[in-house]
Amino acid sequence: MSAVTVWYDSACPLCRREIALMRRLDREGHISFVDLNSDTGCPLDRGDMLARFHASEDGQIVSGAAAFAAMWRQIPRLRWIGRAARNPRVLALLERTYIAFLRIRPRLQGLARRLEGERG
């Protein structure tokens, strides 16, 4: 199994929660998590990487549902979903779902920030 690199936005409360969960599930340490807000740099345009989820698998950078699938294939509990996404129809369905999520993401981010502020 190849290692995967995942780029994420630590300024996004949704991203922080998702990555925290993935770190806990990645017990074997197959995923390298890179904060786009660090000085590590971006392999692509930073704005593009902040707009969509990106990962690198087998030296190829993928985004959206394909990036999630690459990450899931590294985690035993989620591997079956990642493998299912190798089917073009399954990946297309996941990508449509991801695009729908992107439309409501700003509202969800705002809600998450308000909830964090209340707990703060």
Side-chain angles (χ1 to χ4, degrees):
M1 187 175 311
S2 63
V4 166
T5 299
V6 165
W7 289 272
Y8 71 99
D9 179 7
S10 65
C12 168
L14 302 174
C15 300
R16 283 194 307 269
R17 288 180 179 176
E18 174 79 15
I19 295 305
L21 174 62
M22 293 301 115
R23 284 182 195 269
R24 285 192 304 274
L25 294 175
D26 182 29
R27 293 184 180 146
E28 298 172 12
H30 291 292
I31 305 169
S32 296
F33 296 95
V34 179
D35 180 0
L36 288 165
N37 297 303
S38 70
D39 293 333
T40 307
C42 304
L44 302 174
D45 176 76
R46 185 173 183 277
D48 291 343
M49 293 192 80
L50 288 169
R52 284 178 60 89
F53 188 69
H54 285 77
S56 173
E57 181 179 40
D58 298 326
Q60 180 181 0
I61 296 177
V62 292
S63 71
F68 279 100
M71 179 175 64
W72 296 334
R73 283 191 284 274
Q74 302 302 313
I75 298 171
R77 285 185 178 176
L78 303 176
R79 191 167 291 141
W80 68 274
I81 305 169
R83 287 181 177 159
R86 290 195 190 277
N87 178 302
R89 289 181 184 198
V90 173
L91 185 59
L93 174 64
L94 291 170
E95 182 65 19
R96 284 193 302 274
T97 303
Y98 181 67
I99 289 169
F101 163 77
L102 289 177
R103 289 187 193 115
I104 63 168
R105 180 173 69 171
R107 285 178 284 191
L108 293 174
Q109 287 172 321
L111 177 61
R113 285 187 178 103
R114 282 193 299 280
L115 291 173
E116 283 180 345
E118 291 173 7
R119 289 186 201 140

